[in-house]
Amino acid sequence: MTKSQIIKDLANGQSSLKTALKRTKVLVSSLEDKRALAWINNELAGYGPTDQLPDYRLMRGMLTGSYIKGSMATHMKWTNASIPLGNMAEDDRDQLLAVELREGVESLQLMLDTANQEHSLIGKQIPADLFPYIAHCNNDPYMVISSAQVQLNPSCFQRALDCVENLLLDTLLILEAAFGNLDDLDIASASADTELSNTVVEQIVVNIYDDHSVTIGERASVRDSSLQ
């Protein structure tokens, strides 16, 4: 039976994800292993441009915007509509539609709350210098794009936050199973057992990185992208 209040608060929604991460950071720091701390720090402060993102932070959106299609004599205008990609190569589609969630959990939650309140979508702006290429893929020399963005449904942000919460809860359960009640945020004395400490560290690292979406280590390189 779970006895640590920190776990109960997280499971019952009584503690924010940011607060639970900070409390877990204090606990994990006693184990003196940088791998788990790196994940916690990234989820708190956000991932840098050279940090590899977990799979749950890699999204694929939908290209929308405003454009004119057809000849000058007979054309149609679309506003805030889906923009067709025509015969665009699959690799280019993947890169264009990819959205990387690099913000910390508090910022993600704020964007999610705002989108839900305003019944809006969230996304990244597409540079204007890509508009001619998109029109070319549609084999329409008269297609003129005036604005374009890759949009995500707010549920994508909720799924990312849910993944962080589940990983964090599993981490806390591993710590409690090894060291008992966690509410004093101090496992220094228990972690004096080096063998036990090492075993717990590896369990936590496997829990966090088991999907291989992040290289186990402090830093890793990935292409740069950000939400606008």
Side-chain angles (χ1 to χ4, degrees), residues 26-37 171 174-180 186-206:
V26 175
L27 289 165
V28 172
S29 64
S30 301
L31 300 176
E32 299 182 354
D33 187 274
K34 294 181 178 180
R35 293 170 294 178
L37 279 176
T171 297
I174 291 171
L175 289 170
E176 184 186 64
F179 303 121
D186 182 9
I187 58 175
S189 58
S191 63
D193 184 335
T194 302
E195 183 176 355
L196 173 61
S197 178
N198 290 340
T199 299
V200 171
V201 164
E202 293 308 315
Q203 288 178 334
I204 292 174
V205 169
V206 169

Side-chain angles (χ1 to χ4, degrees), residues 152-226:
L152 293 175
N153 190 290
S155 63
C156 294
F157 286 72
Q158 186 61 63
R159 286 198 300 272
L161 291 169
D162 288 344
C163 284
V164 177
E165 183 175 292
N166 285 333
L167 289 173
L168 184 61
L169 186 58
D170 287 341
T171 297
L172 289 169
L173 290 171
I174 291 171
L175 289 170
E176 184 186 64
F179 303 121
N181 193 290
L182 305 174
D183 292 330
D184 289 337
L185 300 182
D186 182 9
I187 58 175
S189 58
S191 63
D193 184 335
T194 302
E195 183 176 355
L196 173 61
S197 178
N198 290 340
T199 299
V200 171
V201 164
E202 293 308 315
Q203 288 178 334
I204 292 174
V205 169
V206 169
N207 171 56
I208 294 173
Y209 298 115
D210 188 46
D211 62 0
H212 305 292
S213 59
V214 176
T215 300
I216 296 178
E218 295 182 54
R219 313 290 278 188
S221 177
V222 72
R223 67 181 182 273
D224 187 14
S225 178
S226 62

Side-chain angles (χ1 to χ4, degrees), residues 3-205:
K3 53 184 176 297
S4 299
Q5 193 63 40
I6 182 176
I7 295 177
K8 294 179 182 178
D9 288 346
L10 180 60
N12 294 330
Q14 300 300 311
S15 174
S16 71
L17 189 51
K18 178 182 178 181
T19 297
L21 280 165
K22 290 168 70 175
R23 295 170 72 185
T24 306
K25 179 178 178 178
V26 175
L27 289 165
V28 172
S29 64
S30 301
L31 300 176
E32 299 182 354
D33 187 274
K34 294 181 178 180
R35 293 170 294 178
L37 279 176
W39 176 75
I40 294 174
N41 287 332
N42 284 334
E43 291 297 337
L44 281 170
Y47 289 77
T50 60
D51 292 319
Q52 187 170 343
L53 291 176
D55 282 349
Y56 59 79
R57 283 177 167 269
L58 299 174
M59 303 295 174
R60 183 181 174 95
M62 178 178 65
L63 184 65
T64 64
S66 300
Y67 63 97
I68 296 173
K69 204 170 187 294
S71 67
M72 295 301 295
T74 57
H75 65 272
M76 295 187 66
K77 182 177 181 180
W78 282 266
T79 302
N80 295 326
S82 175
I83 298 178
L85 298 179
N87 60 4
M88 184 179 293
E90 192 63 33
D91 287 348
D92 290 342
R93 286 176 182 247
D94 291 341
Q95 186 172 357
L96 180 68
L97 300 179
V99 179
E100 299 180 343
L101 307 183
R102 293 190 171 274
E103 293 75 9
V105 294
E106 187 174 42
S107 294
L108 289 182
Q109 186 65 60
L110 179 60
M111 287 189 287
L112 174 61
D113 293 342
T114 300
N116 286 334
Q117 291 170 5
E118 298 178 354
H119 303 287
S120 61
L121 299 177
I122 314 169
K124 67 175 183 180
Q125 297 297 319
I126 300 301
D129 55 4
L130 291 180
F131 295 174
Y133 172 63
I134 298 172
H136 173 75
C137 291
N138 281 276
N139 296 317
D140 187 347
Y142 299 103
M143 183 178 187
V144 178
I145 301 172
S146 57
S147 67
Q149 52 278 322
V150 175
Q151 294 187 330
L152 293 175
N153 190 290
S155 63
C156 294
F157 286 72
Q158 186 61 63
R159 286 198 300 272
L161 291 169
D162 288 344
C163 284
V164 177
E165 183 175 292
N166 285 333
L167 289 173
L168 184 61
L169 186 58
D170 287 341
T171 297
L172 289 169
L173 290 171
I174 291 171
L175 289 170
E176 184 186 64
F179 303 121
N181 193 290
L182 305 174
D183 292 330
D184 289 337
L185 300 182
D186 182 9
I187 58 175
S189 58
S191 63
D193 184 335
T194 302
E195 183 176 355
L196 173 61
S197 178
N198 290 340
T199 299
V200 171
V201 164
E202 293 308 315
Q203 288 178 334
I204 292 174
V205 169

